[in-house]
Amino acid sequence: MADAILTVKHLNKSYGHQPVLRDVSFECTQGRIVGLVGANGAGKTTIMKAILGLLSTDGEIQIAGESMQFDHHPILATVGSLIEYPSLYPYMSGWDNLRLFADGPDAQARLAAVVSALNMTDYIHQKARHYSLGMKQKLGVALAFLNQPQLVILDEPMNGLDPQGTKELRDFILKQKQAGVTFLISSHILSELQKLADDLVIIDHGKIIEKTTMTALLTTTDHFVIVKTDHDGQAKAVLVAAGYQVVADTVVKVHLAPDHQVADVLHVLTSHGLTVRDVRHETADLESTILKLLATTSA
């Protein structure tokens, strides 16, 4: 099993008498993408800032086996990050913003490579003050990757990106993952996170309520079969009488319990003289699964 690049143990943080983080513990394993998920105000950004030494907390944080202290953290030289909105020099070009932070003898080559990979070539020499929100976001992501980090922490990286920019960033992140980079990503765009994350840390009101893999979580989701027949009203009645849960909808949508098979549903319909014209599967997505989990926990 791969080593943990990031280890967070018993992290606690309060502002006055208000707890923000409550005994938060998790790991990020090398070469995997970890999604940090929760509602606004759940504590995601606070966790990321604590890892980056931007605020003091109780607990222990280790990066690549080295313990972090709030006032001493040389290991952060191996970490790339984008937290909230990127801090840019508006009267400098995007290229010059990147040059300020690019270290090492091959800095120019790495800078050019990340600009090309994120498709920023057309505007990288314009002043940053003329950039759109999406362009600024890409520049912030580029800054996070400049110095070949082992661990990258991204807070809402898809913010402001159009569909093409989102795909370009997704492809770039997956390519970096294949090269062994570890990611901790927070995003409210759960449909995108579903395409990226290997592991999930789900947080609610400052406390972790679930640590799992994307695959494991989605296998627990609800599965449905949607059937089109020559008489949908009769089909619904027949299925309900046979003990199936038919979801209230304009179509015939049947909840499939673990012991139910699609073939059995179709057999019930055809045995009652109904003609099945179309069948398709539907599985709950990450967003609906997370919302259901949060609702269950809060109940």
Side-chain angles (χ1 to χ4, degrees):
M1 184 176 175
D3 295 331
I5 292 297
L6 171 66
T7 302
V8 176
K9 294 181 180 179
H10 308 299
L11 210 62
N12 289 280
K13 178 67 177 178
S14 295
Y15 291 107
H17 296 293
Q18 181 64 41
V20 179
L21 300 179
R22 298 185 289 169
D23 198 29
V24 170
S25 298
F26 66 93
E27 291 185 345
C28 294
T29 305
Q30 183 177 4
R32 291 179 72 83
I33 299 174
V34 179
L36 186 60
V37 180
N40 288 341
K44 305 184 299 296
T45 300
T46 303
I47 291 171
M48 291 179 159
K49 286 182 175 180
I51 294 167
L52 294 168
L54 298 176
L55 52 82
S56 61
T57 55
D58 295 326
E60 184 179 0
I61 298 169
Q62 290 186 345
I63 298 174
E66 184 174 321
S67 292
M68 278 271 302
Q69 276 91 40
F70 173 61
D71 56 352
H72 183 70
H73 35 68
I75 190 64
L76 287 181
T78 66
V79 179
S81 66
L82 173 61
I83 302 295
E84 297 177 329
Y85 296 98
S87 297
L88 306 173
Y89 292 95
Y91 288 93
M92 294 174 61
S93 69
W95 182 271
D96 287 338
N97 269 276
L98 292 173
R99 275 203 316 175
L100 281 176
F101 298 97
D103 297 326
D106 60 344
Q108 288 284 103
R110 284 187 282 106
L111 197 160
V114 75
V115 166
S116 175
L118 290 171
N119 198 23
M120 300 168 62
T121 307
D122 288 347
Y123 57 84
I124 195 64
H125 293 289
Q126 297 176 20
K127 289 183 179 180
R129 70 188 182 97
H130 298 305
Y131 283 16
S132 67
L133 177 60
M135 292 159 71
K136 290 176 181 177
Q137 193 73 359
K138 273 193 178 183
L139 187 57
V141 171
L143 284 165
F145 283 95
L146 268 185
N147 296 312
Q148 300 176 305
Q150 300 176 44
L151 170 67
V152 176
I153 297 173
L154 301 175
D155 187 15
E156 302 292 349
M158 309 313 192
N159 186 34
L161 297 182
D162 61 18
Q164 181 62 32
T166 297
K167 184 182 184 305
E168 289 166 356
L169 179 54
R170 185 200 319 140
D171 292 345
F172 180 70
I173 289 171
L174 290 172
K175 186 175 181 180
Q176 295 295 317
K177 171 201 163 182
Q178 290 169 0
V181 178
T182 305
F183 288 86
L184 178 63
I185 300 176
S186 167
S187 178
H188 69 279
I189 308 174
L190 296 183
S191 58
E192 279 303 318
L193 199 59
Q194 184 172 342
K195 298 171 186 175
L196 285 171
D198 302 299
D199 306 309
L200 291 169
V201 176
I202 304 169
I203 185 168
D204 187 35
H205 293 94
K207 187 175 183 179
I208 291 177
I209 59 171
E210 188 78 41
K211 288 183 283 190
T212 185
T213 66
M214 182 69 74
T215 301
L217 183 67
L218 292 180
T219 57
T220 67
T221 62
D222 290 327
H223 296 266
F224 303 91
V225 60
I226 298 174
V227 185
K228 184 173 180 58
T229 72
D230 57 346
H231 197 304
D232 287 351
Q234 185 182 345
K236 290 179 181 180
V238 164
L239 290 167
V240 170
Y244 287 96
Q245 180 185 345
V246 179
V247 179
D249 207 327
T250 55
V251 297
V252 183
K253 184 174 180 180
V254 185
H255 181 263
L256 282 183
D259 57 338
H260 288 167
Q261 301 295 322
V262 176
D264 296 333
V265 173
L266 300 182
H267 176 72
V268 169
L269 295 172
T270 55
S271 67
H272 283 77
L274 292 160
T275 300
V276 177
R277 294 176 174 168
D278 186 44
V279 181
R280 62 186 174 90
H281 289 269
E282 183 179 289
T283 302
D285 59 14
L286 179 62
E287 180 176 16
S288 59
T289 305
I290 295 292
L291 290 173
K292 184 177 179 180
L293 178 62
L294 290 172
T296 302
T297 306
S298 301

